[in-house]
Amino acid sequence: MDLTSTEVAPVRRTYAARLALMAVPVAFFAVFFAYPVAAILARGLHVDGVWHFGRIWDVVAQSDIRHVLWFTTWQALASTALTLLIALPGAYVFARFDFPGKQVLRAIVTVPFVLPTVVVGTAFLALVGRGGLLDELWGVRLDTTVWAILLAHAFFNYAVVVRTVGGLWGQLDPRQEEAARMLGASRLRAWRQITLPALAPALAAATLMVFLFTFTSFGVVQILGGPTFSTLEVEIYRQTSEIFDLSTAAVLTIVQFVAVGAILALHAWTVRRRETALRLVDASVTARRPRGTGQWALLAGVLASIVVLLLLPLAVLVQRSFDAPGFGYYRALTSSDGGVFLVAPIEAIGNSLQYAVVATVIAMVIGGLAAAALTRRDAGRFVRGFDALLMLPLGVSAVTVGFGFLIALDEPPLDLRASWILVPLAQALVGVPFVVRTMLPVLRAVDGRLREAAAVLGASPWRVWREVDLPMVRRALLIAAGFAFAVSLGEFGATVFIARPDNPTLPVAVARLLGRAGELNYGQAMALSTILMVVCAAALLVLERLRTDRTGEF
């Protein structure tokens, strides 16, 4: 049935309002993401008014750069494979089994994902490094091998697989596989032909996400890799901060940007398949208590792997922070020796909390407007392209963004180099994608006819949002705010460039302490990492209490 002109007008106003909602996020990303990144590229490749694109091949052809590219790629592949191998049994257990403490354990396995990479590297350094637990017990050190990096990446990305694959697995109707078993199929054949194809979109999405995070790894490789191992992200940092070779850094940024763009395109395709190809059931009716020796053994094995891979490094980190008698390392945080910091390290806690609060507010405003604009699935190509743009900060070098802030935002009317706002702006760039990915599934679950009816009855877009959407997404807003806060609290790659010496954040403070020899500095790094871990864990536990089945995963 055709719409009358009276009915078409509100629909047109709704579409115009959606474009208006996009204006603020587009302007934000243009000024604080595209412009700084372009400034870095221009500084490196545009010399004396001429673009030197031949420099790209010259840099890539260097043997040491080819080694960095090769190591970045193969360690990401190896890290992804190891993560899937360890985490897929956990995804099945969380999806299909119901056992005491499941919700608390679900929150615990998510803690590593929101921990700053500096803390992850520090935890594994305390476990496998010189003087670490393995060194003390058996004289084994892994900090000079690639295994430390691979295990730390599996630790960091375990929750990605459990949440993404396990979330879908728990909503698949188990009766389809049971029917295949009744028709004579073996357990393996039923899983391979029924369950695996249904899981393929989520499995592909999780694989691509893990590969993306490990391909752009910085903090973990910076701490555990030392001078031996270097990813593209670490090499960009070294070229900009140590060698001051902006041309080489710009080329490496272009290479990383192209690779990340391809990964994100694949990720967007798998997400669309995941959203439209399956009929799902309530996850609460598919989970049951384990039956038989095999299932109890599987549950025990998954719990053991969680203890060894996830809890042991964190426990060792906490234990190392208490090595000095009388809370010595924690008390040392209240004084400054005038070497590592201009202020007492303890002040980094207050700085980080203040920056994270401001960054969360910015991320919620920008991400909320973006999610509202992306609500309709039948949006045009421009809107879908905007959706992909929002994910770019997760893959583009944070080091490039941070250094770009210093270069690009140094002239009026955007002379912000001396302003404290630079830090929360950089942190908000990382928080926005998490806000959008948390809110978008909930907004899309709202019946669009409710909005259209309100618009036809004369409600303004703001009133439609306030009275139709807001009551349904209030809990998702709180969860998005929690994720943005935790992610902002741990941002390191960009903050390491723009945090002022008299206002360090917790991740920057930890990295500076680890970069200086001495038992006291090492102990203080452990103490600060423990404090940061506790704050992030507390935020995650609150999120888990707020989480609903309709909120979606990552």
Side-chain angles (χ1 to χ4, degrees):
M1 182 173 58
D2 295 334
L3 294 176
T4 65
S5 59
T6 305
E7 294 171 321
V8 168
V11 175
R12 289 177 175 174
R13 287 201 302 269
T14 302
Y15 185 76
R18 185 175 296 110
L19 294 179
L21 289 174
M22 291 175 57
V24 174
V26 167
F28 178 81
F29 273 80
V31 174
F32 298 112
F33 178 70
Y35 178 46
V37 171
I40 282 287
L41 299 182
R43 182 67 65 93
L45 299 179
H46 192 258
V47 181
D48 297 329
V50 179
W51 287 96
H52 296 271
F53 291 107
R55 176 65 175 158
I56 296 177
W57 172 250
D58 294 339
V59 170
V60 174
Q62 297 175 17
S63 59
D64 56 337
I65 298 299
R66 289 203 307 270
H67 177 75
V68 170
L69 291 171
W70 169 242
F71 176 76
T72 301
T73 303
W74 84 256
Q75 68 81 25
L77 291 170
S79 296
T80 302
L82 181 62
T83 303
L84 292 173
L85 180 65
I86 296 174
L88 281 177
Y92 175 80
V93 165
F94 279 98
R96 293 304 195 198
F97 292 170
D98 186 19
F99 52 90
K102 178 179 176 178
Q103 296 303 319
V104 174
L105 191 63
R106 183 184 174 94
I108 290 175
V109 301
T110 311
V111 168
F113 181 74
V114 299
L115 283 180
T117 55
V118 171
V119 175
V120 175
T122 305
F124 274 82
L125 194 65
L127 179 63
V128 303
R130 184 176 63 181
L133 181 63
L134 296 185
D135 192 14
E136 290 182 353
L137 293 179
W138 299 294
V140 175
R141 289 181 55 190
L142 298 177
D143 59 324
T144 56
T145 71
V146 74
W147 279 107
I149 296 174
L150 300 183
L151 288 172
H153 284 160
F155 168 91
F156 183 77
N157 292 292
Y158 185 94
V160 175
V161 178
V162 169
R163 292 268 181 166
T164 305
V165 180
L168 179 61
W169 209 334
Q171 294 178 282
L172 295 180
D173 192 343
R175 291 174 296 183
Q176 297 179 2
E177 189 172 328
E178 293 170 359
R181 294 289 309 281
M182 292 181 63
L183 292 174
S186 65
R187 184 182 299 274
L188 178 61
R189 183 180 179 184
W191 183 85
R192 188 178 68 249
Q193 295 185 349
I194 303 297
T195 304
L196 183 59
L199 285 177
L203 187 60
T207 301
L208 289 170
M209 288 174 67
V210 174
F211 183 83
L212 174 64
F213 291 140
T214 53
F215 187 83
T216 59
S217 181
F218 176 56
V220 168
V221 180
Q222 177 78 351
I223 292 176
L224 296 176
T228 306
F229 303 108
S230 179
T231 58
L232 271 173
E233 188 86 352
V234 174
E235 188 64 21
I236 292 171
Y237 174 77
R238 191 176 73 89
Q239 294 288 340
T240 52
S241 65
E242 298 177 10
I243 303 178
F244 302 106
D245 187 349
L246 293 185
S247 179
T248 298
V251 170
L252 296 180
T253 298
I254 293 173
V255 172
Q256 188 178 44
F257 188 85
V258 171
V260 167
I263 296 170
L264 291 178
L266 284 173
H267 179 264
W269 179 71
T270 57
V271 167
R272 284 197 298 270
R273 285 190 61 195
R274 178 184 175 187
E275 289 180 344
T276 60
L278 300 172
R279 291 185 178 182
L280 306 178
V281 298
D282 188 351
S284 62
V285 303
T286 63
R288 52 179 172 76
R289 292 185 65 83
R291 301 173 184 172
T293 304
Q295 292 188 357
W296 281 108
L298 176 61
L299 175 59
V302 168
L303 294 178
S305 67
I306 290 174
V307 170
V308 173
L309 179 67
L310 304 185
L311 298 184
L312 184 59
L314 300 180
V316 173
L317 174 66
V318 175
Q319 184 268 325
R320 287 289 186 270
S321 72
F322 289 102
D323 272 354
F327 302 95
Y329 293 143
Y330 288 91
R331 287 190 288 107
L333 296 176
T334 61
S335 62
S336 174
D337 61 1
V340 182
F341 302 102
L342 299 179
V343 295
I346 195 70
E347 294 191 17
I349 300 174
N351 295 336
S352 286
L353 292 175
Q354 293 173 21
Y355 288 145
V357 168
V358 177
T360 300
V361 173
I362 297 173
M364 291 299 297
V365 172
I366 302 299
L369 291 174
L374 294 169
T375 298
R376 290 180 63 92
R377 298 178 186 270
D378 58 349
R381 292 183 179 179
F382 177 72
V383 177
R384 291 197 297 269
F386 175 62
D387 188 12
L389 170 67
L390 296 173
M391 294 292 291
L392 283 179
L394 292 181
V396 174
S397 168
V399 170
T400 300
V401 174
F403 200 67
F405 270 31
L406 295 181
I407 291 179
L409 306 180
D410 62 343
E411 296 179 356
L414 288 175
D415 187 1
L416 302 176
R417 283 183 303 174
S419 174
W420 62 271
I421 196 65
L422 272 185
V423 174
L425 284 173
Q427 294 173 345
L429 281 172
V430 182
V432 167
F434 288 91
V435 173
V436 174
R437 290 295 156 229
T438 301
M439 294 183 59
L440 195 55
V442 182
L443 286 171
R444 284 179 172 171
V446 178
D447 192 339
R449 291 173 297 182
L450 296 176
R451 300 190 186 99
E452 294 172 0
V456 169
L457 292 174
S460 66
W462 165 246
R463 187 175 180 184
V464 171
W465 161 257
R466 188 178 69 249
E467 298 187 6
V468 176
D469 293 85
L470 184 58
M472 299 184 181
V473 302
R474 184 179 292 111
R475 186 166 294 182
L477 281 170
L478 294 175
I479 293 175
F483 267 121
F485 179 81
V487 170
S488 300
L489 198 65
E491 203 288 321
F492 175 63
T495 307
V496 70
F497 273 99
I498 57 182
R500 289 167 20 185
D502 58 341
N503 284 290
T505 63
L506 276 170
V508 171
V510 170
R512 290 180 183 174
L513 287 166
L514 286 175
R516 198 178 189 201
E519 183 179 348
L520 180 61
N521 291 317
Y522 178 81
Q524 290 183 88
M526 297 292 147
L528 278 180
S529 296
T530 300
I531 293 172
L532 187 50
M533 179 188 67
V534 170
V535 174
C536 290
L540 246 295
L541 288 173
V542 172
L543 292 184
E544 190 62 28
R545 292 183 64 88
L546 294 172
R547 188 184 63 84
T548 64
D549 287 336
R550 296 180 66 185
T551 303
E553 307 295 335
F554 287 122

